[in-house]
């Protein structure tokens, strides 16, 4: 290895071997776990422990559920405990379990897990997807015994008795254990909802039936005496003076929203405004108007039906600001501007004068949350100069030993608070400029990205900076900053300051910045891995590209694999320390043994590489559909490595920017890192299969007709130079899509017709200079 990476080692420390539960749940064709007999470690929240009077402990993480069958584990955990568990993977009548549990540690307490609303048929037909998870079935209309007769009491015998609950004509088995207080209690009045764990009892392969649900106590039965069930609460149509609040109810109900300005994390909730509608409906949508631009608000919703009123917990929304919304992106290494769609990326940027100029321009306040601040004396001097001219500066710092320049800032009177000492990190790289000056919306800037404030990071390691001028975004970042700071004042409050798992999800996440959708998330409170996984699932039409220092998060890799198996283009560049790391996903994606996650190797291997340049590849960004502007490209960037530590423990931040311009700037950087790492395939070409075809073949494009992009698939029967070209009706070449040496296999390439007019076009496949075939396609705009 050409360098020692302190940060990477920290991110691969005590939790490096923790894997997501869905990695354990992967099965072969006979329904047997692929990791059967292996010892693995997971983390999750206990959803059932002592209720069944038998040593079964149910626990789950955001990816799936798991059971530990072990007396010590059973007696030493309680519902709501966040636990780290190491055990041997076994199977009992279709249930995937740990037997025994070798070790377990309670990481935190009082972390109740929310149930997932499903239908009876979801469990009956697709129960494996929900096994060992906490679910909720709404609107139960009848309970039968297994002979089909109606019953009025949960009568049990022996260890327990099975019944069948019905929602209309849909049904699923429910088991009532004799050890619970449900035993021999009357069945609730219909309709009712039930919360339960999903279990299974199937004694033969492929273990695909026998699913049942297990309620834990009478508290798991919810009647409708207190009003309808509220769900899907969200805000949208974000404008400067209005937003739309939407939600659903389980029964026809009226609608009410209450709200107030949220000036800090610490104010009393006393809603000052409300709007209501007496119409009875299950789909609710209300426009809140007369709002102030660029502000964060608290709100809740409530609905009333004949049985009562249901009220949501306090939520957050924000309004659009009148800021210009300027987004600047900088890279300190070379870029490939041949991929520019009109604006060349800023490569070889000296970050220091950019940051110093931003500090010098500050007139009122600077808040900064930094993992590392060292040896950039010009930045130190600019901060001290700002302090002397009256700028209010606050500094959140990691628990590390003070670096020299940090001591200089403290000596100059700049207040500081440090993360309490632990193995985890305050890993942000954030500056917030002039948000606390409320007289203008055009001087509020947020500076973030992958770059620590050191000479090594500015000039040697490959890094990026993104800065955004927007009052609302600055407000969101200030709330996160002040949660760590412990106050909204100039001085910190150590008693109220929160870091890591102590923090809460206390900001709105979706913003309208000058007409662009930008999402802001913070770790660990905002479930960062799940947000990235959802973005991959929902946004990927064509490609996923990434550059990342530390990538050990199996869940994110698994979501990429789903898209890869569906023929999408997945490419990545890792730091070279990942090449032989047993916890990194690099080797797994490359099709090499010895990688992380215990997943099957990717076949064919993904087009992933390791950086071979001087210094670290310190980026943490992902690009979705970067080379197809019509597919709404997305950039994910910030301080968040794709790791378990960054997900569960560190203080991190990242942005999801829905903007083709920003994504193209990052694409120019990515393609240069990809080429430097050894990648040679032009952007846009994907190898779908490495299986050797019997002949060359060109397939019909899809979709066809199309607007403005389409996919062309072809087969290569033997190695050699391959060309794919597009021609207009007059036979003039309009685009060369492929021109490279390719090995046998099946490939696809995306044709982007954004700059072309409607009409008929032809595309041709050539091998070794010989034309193989041509086909017609129609562009309709």
């Amino acid at each position: 290895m050409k360098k020692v990476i302190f940060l990477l080692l920290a991110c691969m420390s005590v939790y490096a071997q923790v894997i997501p539960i869905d990695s354990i749940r992967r099965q072969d064709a006979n329904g047997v776990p692929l990791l059967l007999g292996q010892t693995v470690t997971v983390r999750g929240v206990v959803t059932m422990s002592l209720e069944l009077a038998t040593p079964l402990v149910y626990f789950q993480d955001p990816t799936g559920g798991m059971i530990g069958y072990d007396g010590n584990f059973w007696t030493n955990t309680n519902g709501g405990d966040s636990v780290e568990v190491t055990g041997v993977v076994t199977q009992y009548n279709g249930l995937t379990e740990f037997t025994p549990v070798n070790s377990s540690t309670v990481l935190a307490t009082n972390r109740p897990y929310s149930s997932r609303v499903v239908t009876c048929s979801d469990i009956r037909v697709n129960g494996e997807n929900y096994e060992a998870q906490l679910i909720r079935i709404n609107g139960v209309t009848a309970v039968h015994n297994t002979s089909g007769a109606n019953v009025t009491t949960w009568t049990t015998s022996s260890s327990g008795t099975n019944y069948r609950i019905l929602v209309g004509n849909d049904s699923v088995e429910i088991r009532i254990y004799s050890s619970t207080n449900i035993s021999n209690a009357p069945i609730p009045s219909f309709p009712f909802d039930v919360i339960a764990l999903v279990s299974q009892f199937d004694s033969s392969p492929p273990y695909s039936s026998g699913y049942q649900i297990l309620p834990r106590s009478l508290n798991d039965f919810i009647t409708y005496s207190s009003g309808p069930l509220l769900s899907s609460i969200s805000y949208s149509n974000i404008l400067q003076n209005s937003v739309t609040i939407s939600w659903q109810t389980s029964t026809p109900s009226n609608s009410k929203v209450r709200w107030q300005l949220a000036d800090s994390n610490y104010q009393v909730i006393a809603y000052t405004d409300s709007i209501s509608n007496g119409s009875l409906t299950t789909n609710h949508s209300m426009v809140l108007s007369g709002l102030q631009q660029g502000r964060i608000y608290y709100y809740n919703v409530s609905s009333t039906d004949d049985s009562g009123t249901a009220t949501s917990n306090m939520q957050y929304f924000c309004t659009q600001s009148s800021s210009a919304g300027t987004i600047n992106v900088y890279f300190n290494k070379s870029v490939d501007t041949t991929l520019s769609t009109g604006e060349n990326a800023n490569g070889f940027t000296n970050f220091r004068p950019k940051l110093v100029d931003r500090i010098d321009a500050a007139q009122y306040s600077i808040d900064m949350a930094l993992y590392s601040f060292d040896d950039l004396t010009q930045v130190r001097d600019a901060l001290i100069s700002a302090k002397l001219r009256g700028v209010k500066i606050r500094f959140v710092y990691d628990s590390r030993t003070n670096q020299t320049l940090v001591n200089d800032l403290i000596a100059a009177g700049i207040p500081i608070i440090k993360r309490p000492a632990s193995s985890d990190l305050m890993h942000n790289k954030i500056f917030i400029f002039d948000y606390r000056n409320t007289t203008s919306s055009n001087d509020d800037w947020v500076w973030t990205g992958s770059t620590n404030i050191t000479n090594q990071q500015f000039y040697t390691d490959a890094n990026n900076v993104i800065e955004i001028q927007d009052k609302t975004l600055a407000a969101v970042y200030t709330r996160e900053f002040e949660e760590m700071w412990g106050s909204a004042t100039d001085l910190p409050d150590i008693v109220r300051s929160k870091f890591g798992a102590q923090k809460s999800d206390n900001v709105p996440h979706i913003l309208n910045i000058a007409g662009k959708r930008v999402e802001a998330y913070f770790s660990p409170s905002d479930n960062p891995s799940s947000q990235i996984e959802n973005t991959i699932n929902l946004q990927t039409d064509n490609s996923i590209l990434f550059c990342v220092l530390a990538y050990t998060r199996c869940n994110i890799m698994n979501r990429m694999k789903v898209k890869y198996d569906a023929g999408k283009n997945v490419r990545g560049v890792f730091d070279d320390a990942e090449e032989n790391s047993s916890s990194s996903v690099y080797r797994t994606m490359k099709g090499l043994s010895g990688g992380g996650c215990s997943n099957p190797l990717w076949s064919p291997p993904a087009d992933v590489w390791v950086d071979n340049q001087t210094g670290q590849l310190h980026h943490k960004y992902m690009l979705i559909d970067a080379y197809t502007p019509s597919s709404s490209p997305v950039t994910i960037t910030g301080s968040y490595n794709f790791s378990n530590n960054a997900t569960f423990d560190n203080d991190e931040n990242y942005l999801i920017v829905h903007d083709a311009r920003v994504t193209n700037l990052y694409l120019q950087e990515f393609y240069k890192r990809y080429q430097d790492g050894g990648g040679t395939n032009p952007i846009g070409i994907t190898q779908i299969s490495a299986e050797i075809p019997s002949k060359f073949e060109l397939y019909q494009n899809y979709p066809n007709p199309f607007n403005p992009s389409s996919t062309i698939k072809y087969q290569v029967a033997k190695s050699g130079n391959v060309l794919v070209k597009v021609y207009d009706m007059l036979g003039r070449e309009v685009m060369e899509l492929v021109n490279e040496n390719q090995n046998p296999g099946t490939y696809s390439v995306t044709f982007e017709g954004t700059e072309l007019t409607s009409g008929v076009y032809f595309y041709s496949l050539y091998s070794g200079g010989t034309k193989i075939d041509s086909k017609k396609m129609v562009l309709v705009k």
Side-chain angles (χ1 to χ4, degrees), residues 15 18 91 136 189 215 268 295 297 324 344 367 372 393 514 518 533 575 595 606 653 700 702 704 719 747:
Y15 302 125
V18 174
Q91 188 178 56
R136 178 171 179 152
S189 300
V268 175
R295 302 297 294 273
Y297 286 80
N344 291 346
D367 292 331
S372 186
I393 302 178
V518 176
E533 295 160 41
D575 184 69
N653 73 287
Q700 186 64 51
Y702 59 92
N704 188 41
S719 299
Y747 297 80

Side-chain angles (χ1 to χ4, degrees), residues 680-720:
T680 58
N681 288 342
I683 291 295
I685 302 173
T686 302
Q687 183 173 7
I688 300 172
S689 172
E691 183 177 346
I692 301 176
S694 59
K695 63 178 181 178
F696 284 91
E697 187 166 358
L698 181 66
Y699 293 88
Q700 186 64 51
N701 66 302
Y702 59 92
N704 188 41
F706 64 96
N707 178 26
S709 61
S710 188
T711 299
I712 297 170
K713 179 181 170 183
Y714 60 94
Q715 291 184 344
V716 176
K718 65 178 182 179
S719 299

Side-chain angles (χ1 to χ4, degrees), residues 35-57:
L35 299 182
L36 189 71
Q38 296 191 32
T39 300
V40 298
T41 301
V42 297
R43 303 175 88 188
V45 173
V46 174
T47 51
M48 181 164 67
S49 179
L50 302 178
E51 292 86 347
L52 302 187
T54 185
L56 282 171
V57 180

Side-chain angles (χ1 to χ4, degrees), residues 235-238 327 509-521 531 535 538-539 633-635 655-659:
Y235 67 98
S236 60
N237 301 324
I238 306 165
I327 301 178
H509 298 295
I510 301 172
L511 297 85
N512 177 353
I513 297 182
K516 302 176 181 66
R517 177 185 172 103
V518 176
E519 302 172 49
Y521 298 99
Q531 302 299 339
T535 303
L538 297 175
Q539 298 291 327
V634 175
T635 299
L655 297 167
I656 303 178
V657 182
H658 299 251
D659 182 61

Side-chain angles (χ1 to χ4, degrees), residues 101-129:
V101 171
N102 298 340
S103 65
S104 63
T105 303
V106 176
L107 305 175
T109 59
N110 298 317
R111 297 290 180 85
Y113 214 97
S114 299
S115 55
R116 180 178 183 179
V117 177
V118 299
T119 65
C120 294
S121 58
D122 284 336
I123 305 304
R124 194 180 65 255
V125 179
N126 298 305
E128 198 64 32
N129 294 337

Side-chain angles (χ1 to χ4, degrees), residues 108-423:
T109 59
N110 298 317
R111 297 290 180 85
Y113 214 97
S114 299
S115 55
R116 180 178 183 179
V117 177
V118 299
T119 65
C120 294
S121 58
D122 284 336
I123 305 304
R124 194 180 65 255
V125 179
N126 298 305
E128 198 64 32
N129 294 337
Y130 306 97
E131 183 183 293
Q133 295 184 47
L134 192 66
I135 57 89
R136 178 171 179 152
I137 295 176
N138 295 329
V140 176
T141 55
V143 177
H144 294 171
N145 61 24
T146 54
S147 299
N150 286 307
V151 293
T152 59
T153 302
W154 301 112
T155 304
T156 63
S157 61
S158 186
S159 64
T161 301
N162 280 24
Y163 292 91
R164 185 167 290 275
I165 61 170
L166 291 85
V167 178
N169 294 322
D170 198 4
S171 66
V172 70
E173 283 202 8
I174 181 171
R175 182 169 180 80
I176 307 301
Y177 271 76
S178 299
S179 59
T180 68
N181 64 359
I182 308 169
S183 176
N184 299 314
I187 290 171
S189 300
F190 303 112
F192 65 82
D193 302 341
V194 59
I195 297 171
L197 278 303
V198 179
S199 185
Q200 184 183 18
F201 194 89
D202 184 359
S203 59
S204 60
Y207 307 108
S208 58
S209 62
Y211 296 102
Q212 56 191 14
I213 65 171
L214 310 178
R216 301 161 296 181
S217 72
L218 286 172
N219 291 332
D220 280 339
F221 296 96
I222 297 95
T223 64
Y224 288 98
S225 59
S226 60
L229 174 69
L230 306 176
S231 62
S232 304
I233 303 171
S234 64
Y235 67 98
S236 60
N237 301 324
I238 306 165
L239 300 175
Q240 290 184 21
N241 303 114
S242 67
V243 301
T244 300
I245 306 296
S246 303
W247 71 99
Q248 296 179 345
T249 52
S250 56
T251 61
S253 313
N254 63 21
S255 311
K256 184 175 183 178
V257 182
R258 300 186 298 166
W259 70 93
Q260 72 174 95
L261 276 169
D263 292 320
S264 78
N265 293 322
Y266 310 104
Q267 69 191 96
V268 175
I269 306 300
Y271 296 109
T272 56
D273 297 277
S274 66
I275 185 173
S276 59
N277 187 327
S279 300
L280 302 182
T281 182
T282 57
N283 294 305
H284 306 260
S285 182
M286 306 195 78
V287 177
L288 312 188
S289 58
L291 306 173
Q292 297 183 35
Q293 62 90 10
R295 302 297 294 273
I296 297 174
Y297 286 80
Y298 300 121
Y299 77 100
N300 72 7
V301 304
S302 60
S303 292
T304 302
D305 65 6
D306 291 340
S307 65
T309 299
T311 302
S312 74
N313 294 328
M314 186 265 290
Q315 314 274 326
Y316 297 88
F317 71 79
C318 60
T319 54
Q320 181 185 7
S321 77
S322 60
S323 302
T326 303
I327 301 178
N328 297 324
V329 178
Y330 307 114
F331 306 102
N332 63 347
K333 298 295 183 180
S334 57
V335 297
D336 187 336
T337 59
T338 62
L339 298 180
S340 170
T341 55
E343 179 182 348
N344 291 346
N346 292 301
F348 287 125
T349 302
N350 185 346
F351 296 155
R352 178 183 52 75
K354 296 290 185 183
L355 180 56
V356 168
D357 287 349
R358 189 63 60 208
I359 294 170
D360 289 344
Q363 297 299 307
Y364 188 85
S365 64
I366 301 173
D367 292 331
M368 51 188 188
L370 303 173
Y371 168 68
S372 186
F373 183 89
D374 195 26
D375 61 35
L376 285 168
T377 56
Q378 298 93 333
V379 178
R380 175 205 59 191
D381 294 345
L383 287 167
I384 293 174
S385 177
K387 169 72 175 175
L388 292 173
R389 69 173 184 270
V391 176
K392 300 175 182 293
I393 302 178
R394 305 184 293 188
F395 185 9
V396 172
Y397 188 47
D398 187 55
S399 58
R400 66 191 303 168
T401 301
N402 285 358
Q403 294 163 299
T404 301
L405 298 196
V406 174
N407 286 329
D408 292 345
L409 297 181
I410 295 171
I414 293 175
I416 182 173
I417 190 170
K418 297 176 68 172
R419 193 189 209 272
S422 73
S423 60

Side-chain angles (χ1 to χ4, degrees), residues 307-589:
S307 65
T309 299
T311 302
S312 74
N313 294 328
M314 186 265 290
Q315 314 274 326
Y316 297 88
F317 71 79
C318 60
T319 54
Q320 181 185 7
S321 77
S322 60
S323 302
T326 303
I327 301 178
N328 297 324
V329 178
Y330 307 114
F331 306 102
N332 63 347
K333 298 295 183 180
S334 57
V335 297
D336 187 336
T337 59
T338 62
L339 298 180
S340 170
T341 55
E343 179 182 348
N344 291 346
N346 292 301
F348 287 125
T349 302
N350 185 346
F351 296 155
R352 178 183 52 75
K354 296 290 185 183
L355 180 56
V356 168
D357 287 349
R358 189 63 60 208
I359 294 170
D360 289 344
Q363 297 299 307
Y364 188 85
S365 64
I366 301 173
D367 292 331
M368 51 188 188
L370 303 173
Y371 168 68
S372 186
F373 183 89
D374 195 26
D375 61 35
L376 285 168
T377 56
Q378 298 93 333
V379 178
R380 175 205 59 191
D381 294 345
L383 287 167
I384 293 174
S385 177
K387 169 72 175 175
L388 292 173
R389 69 173 184 270
V391 176
K392 300 175 182 293
I393 302 178
R394 305 184 293 188
F395 185 9
V396 172
Y397 188 47
D398 187 55
S399 58
R400 66 191 303 168
T401 301
N402 285 358
Q403 294 163 299
T404 301
L405 298 196
V406 174
N407 286 329
D408 292 345
L409 297 181
I410 295 171
I414 293 175
I416 182 173
I417 190 170
K418 297 176 68 172
R419 193 189 209 272
S422 73
S423 60
D424 308 310
L425 307 174
M426 203 301 299
H427 195 240
N428 288 302
K429 304 96 168 59
I430 299 170
F431 287 85
I432 309 162
F433 296 98
D434 280 339
Y435 168 70
R436 293 199 284 156
N437 174 15
T438 59
T439 59
S440 173
S441 294
N442 291 314
D443 58 359
D444 306 337
W445 286 86
V446 173
W447 166 297
T448 186
S450 65
T451 313
N452 290 301
I453 313 304
T454 70
N455 269 302
Q456 174 81 19
Q457 291 271 284
F458 273 38
Y459 300 110
T460 305
D461 302 335
N463 273 303
N464 70 88
V465 166
I466 183 169
E467 59 169 4
I468 301 178
Q469 194 283 301
D470 183 70
K471 177 182 177 180
T472 311
L473 184 66
V476 168
Y477 269 74
T478 298
R479 293 303 159 80
E480 175 70 9
F481 176 91
E482 289 180 347
E483 188 174 25
M484 297 182 288
W485 190 248
S487 82
T489 68
D490 293 341
L491 297 177
D493 185 334
I494 297 176
V495 175
R496 289 197 302 187
S497 71
K498 297 178 180 179
F499 293 86
Q502 294 181 325
K503 294 190 302 185
S504 59
D505 184 355
N506 65 340
V507 296
H509 298 295
I510 301 172
L511 297 85
N512 177 353
I513 297 182
K516 302 176 181 66
R517 177 185 172 103
V518 176
E519 302 172 49
Y521 298 99
F522 303 95
S523 183
S525 59
D526 301 347
N527 204 350
S529 180
S530 291
Q531 302 299 339
I532 292 176
E533 295 160 41
N534 290 338
T535 303
I536 292 172
N537 285 339
L538 297 175
Q539 298 291 327
T540 306
D541 292 332
N542 298 291
S543 64
I544 304 169
L545 314 175
F546 62 89
C547 271
V548 63
L549 169 68
Y551 190 169
T552 61
R553 185 71 180 146
C554 307
N555 303 51
I556 297 176
M557 184 194 73
N558 291 341
R559 300 310 177 268
M560 288 185 179
K561 184 62 161 57
V562 171
K563 295 298 182 181
Y564 186 69
D565 289 343
K568 310 308 179 185
N569 190 331
V570 176
R571 303 185 188 195
V573 185
F574 295 76
D575 184 69
D576 68 350
E578 303 282 273
E579 185 171 11
N580 294 303
S581 168
S582 61
S583 58
S584 170
V585 304
Y586 167 76
R587 296 185 66 83
T588 303
M589 296 181 73

